[in-house]
Amino acid sequence: MDTNKFKIQLENELKLVEGEMKDVGRKNPSNPNDWEPVETDMGSDPADNNDVADEMESFGENAAVLNRLEARYNDIKSALDKIKEGTYGKCEIGGEDIPEERLEANPSAKTCIEHSK
Ligand SMILES: [Zn+2]
């Protein structure tokens, strides 16, 4: 299998996801592998009390978005590690080859279709 095209795809996706993560979070200064959500600055007047509620809401939303992005990020990272180790494209559960069409649709797939259920 030509893993190089998947590698390129995964690296592009990693950059995209990391860019999105920077919109809603920042790296924890004491642990660069850990991201924490940030409040989105709505550009509103801090004197307005309603903004506090708005900011809390954006913080909660950002935390949820960040969680999803982080999971995605880790999946892509682990797929890239597998390419390096030469184990890319194997189902994590059964060890069989993941069909190439599946990898084309989702290069960070960890399992075959059967085991993803
Ligand atoms: Zn499987």
Side-chain angles (χ1 to χ4, degrees):
M1 185 177 37
D2 174 22
T3 52
N4 212 34
K5 67 175 177 190
F6 294 116
K7 187 169 177 251
I8 293 162
Q9 230 176 309
L10 285 161
E11 279 169 348
N12 285 337
E13 224 179 313
L14 197 69
K15 266 184 233 146
L16 271 175
V17 171
E18 202 170 2
E20 282 178 50
M21 283 166 85
K22 281 177 187 149
D23 286 342
V24 291
R26 59 159 184 245
K27 279 181 186 170
N28 183 336
S30 53
N31 178 6
N33 290 321
D34 188 33
W35 285 70
E36 49 192 23
V38 292
E39 285 168 20
T40 307
D41 184 8
M42 310 282 200
S44 45
D45 184 351
D48 185 345
N49 280 335
N50 287 329
D51 290 346
V52 178
D54 283 351
E55 270 173 26
M56 287 307 289
E57 201 174 301
S58 86
F59 187 76
E61 275 168 26
N62 284 351
V65 172
L66 190 62
N67 271 340
R68 275 202 302 275
L69 289 171
E70 228 174 335
R72 185 105 196 88
Y73 185 87
N74 290 333
D75 282 353
I76 299 167
K77 270 276 193 212
S78 92
L80 282 166
D81 283 347
K82 284 185 200 165
I83 290 178
K84 250 186 269 165
E85 289 159 14
T87 56
Y88 180 72
K90 300 264 185 245
C91 170
E92 277 188 2
I93 295 172
E96 66 277 1
D97 288 335
I98 300 173
E100 206 161 331
E101 309 88 72
R102 177 163 164 77
L103 293 171
E104 265 157 21
N106 177 16
S108 55
K110 291 175 170 176
T111 59
C112 65
I113 295 163
E114 204 45 51
H115 284 126
S116 73
K117 287 171 191 156

